[in-house]
């Protein structure tokens, strides 16, 4: 789980990368660990585990095409792992 700062042109601000894992800070403290991938012209998928073992899997049917779309994607992951009001389905 040793990571280095990720290239900001390839991942989002604050992301760290190492041996296939991404670490990214959470608004509620701590970090999530996971792996993401994209298919050119296709989709993006992400699986992440936050503090306490809560997890989220997200798949988009297209790549975010703007900074706001990328921020919305990251916000969904953050809220899924931080919002204590949510229950798992």
């Amino acid at each position: 789980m040793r990571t280095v700062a990720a290239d900001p042109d390839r991942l989002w601000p604050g992301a760290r990368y190492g041996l296939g894992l991404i670490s990214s800070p959470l608004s509620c403290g701590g970090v999530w660990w996971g792996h993401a991938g994209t298919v050119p012209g296709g989709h993006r998928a992400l699986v992440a585990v936050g503090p306490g073992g809560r997890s989220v899997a997200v798949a988009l049917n297209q790549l975010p095409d703007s900074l706001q779309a990328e921020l919305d994607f990251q916000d969904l992951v953050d809220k899924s792992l931080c919002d204590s009001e949510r229950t798992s389905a």
Side-chain angles (χ1 to χ4, degrees):
M1 294 181 127
R2 288 186 181 166
T3 59
V4 297
D7 179 349
D9 290 332
R10 299 191 67 190
L11 288 174
W12 46 90
R16 298 181 60 82
Y17 188 81
L19 297 176
L21 284 176
I22 299 169
S23 166
S24 194
L26 290 165
S27 65
C28 57
V31 298
W32 62 256
W33 290 93
H35 184 75
T38 59
V39 176
H43 70 277
R44 172 182 283 175
L46 171 88
V47 176
V49 177
R54 179 177 239 167
S55 62
V56 61
V58 180
L60 303 176
N61 59 4
Q62 71 180 48
L63 299 176
D65 60 359
S66 68
L67 176 57
Q68 186 58 55
E70 180 66 37
L71 295 174
D72 290 344
F73 176 74
Q74 293 172 33
D75 189 50
L76 173 66
V77 174
D78 188 83
K79 282 187 173 24
S80 296
L81 297 173
C82 287
D83 187 351
S84 62
E85 302 275 314
R86 285 184 189 239
T87 58
S88 57

